[in-house]
Amino acid sequence: MMEMEKKASFRYGKQNQMLVKRGELWRADISGLDAFNRKEVILLILQNDMGNRFSPTSIAVLSATEDQEDDQYIETVYRKTSYGFLKIRLDVCQLTTFDKRGRLIERLGRVNDRILGNIERKYSMLLKGA
């Protein structure tokens, strides 16, 4: 009886479930996932909304490191903040799966469909080897 209650509260617990949508920018703790040993990065959610709703994990593109040069696989996004504009460089080569519960820190905003389309085209070029 006790085990059934735990499963039900985990499955239907709306208070503990974080709502994540495709196209959102998040600040996340990715220690242990990143090849560059960064602790916090900005990431863009690529997984569709249905997958984000029912899965404890999500798929995202990580931001580029400071020393990476602009190349054909980096998309630059500008976000307006209270301090001015924030330049976010997303590296299409750094696609990762992460746990939504323990990793996401803060929602930063959402990108428009044009930027999502650019990232999808760059990812398609990367897979084709162009």
Side-chain angles (χ1 to χ4, degrees):
M1 180 87 171
M2 195 73 155
E3 289 179 21
M4 288 176 59
E5 291 175 359
K6 285 183 184 177
K7 288 181 183 176
S9 65
F10 173 76
R11 188 170 184 183
Y12 301 112
K14 300 287 184 196
Q15 295 85 3
N16 294 334
Q17 195 172 15
M18 187 171 289
L19 297 176
V20 177
K21 300 224 179 239
R22 177 178 167 82
E24 289 182 339
L25 292 166
W26 284 82
R27 202 172 91 231
D29 172 20
I30 60 156
S31 50
L33 292 178
D34 189 27
F36 298 102
N37 294 326
R38 295 178 289 176
K39 185 170 170 107
E40 279 187 17
V41 297
I42 296 174
L43 50 83
L44 172 71
I45 306 295
L46 281 186
Q47 181 167 301
N48 64 27
D49 292 338
M50 188 62 73
N52 283 327
R53 182 175 177 192
F54 293 108
S55 175
T57 61
S58 189
I59 300 169
V61 172
L62 301 178
S63 57
T65 60
E66 294 294 324
D67 58 341
Q68 279 181 298
E69 297 177 16
D70 285 333
D71 67 353
Q72 61 182 349
Y73 300 121
I74 292 184
E75 179 72 20
T76 304
V77 178
Y78 294 94
R79 298 299 307 162
K80 188 175 181 180
T81 66
S82 57
Y83 303 109
F85 283 94
L86 174 65
K87 181 180 178 181
I88 303 169
R89 297 171 59 237
L90 299 167
D91 186 359
V92 177
C93 298
Q94 294 186 36
L95 190 71
T96 189
T97 303
F98 66 97
D99 180 26
K100 293 184 288 194
R101 275 198 182 173
R103 303 272 184 187
L104 296 178
I105 299 171
E106 173 186 20
R107 184 181 183 274
L108 300 176
R110 182 171 173 77
V111 298
N112 59 28
D113 290 337
R114 181 184 58 83
I115 293 173
L116 272 175
N118 288 346
I119 289 176
E120 287 174 356
R121 272 190 295 284
K122 289 180 181 187
Y123 193 65
S124 159
M125 285 176 19
L126 178 69
L127 291 177
K128 290 178 184 175

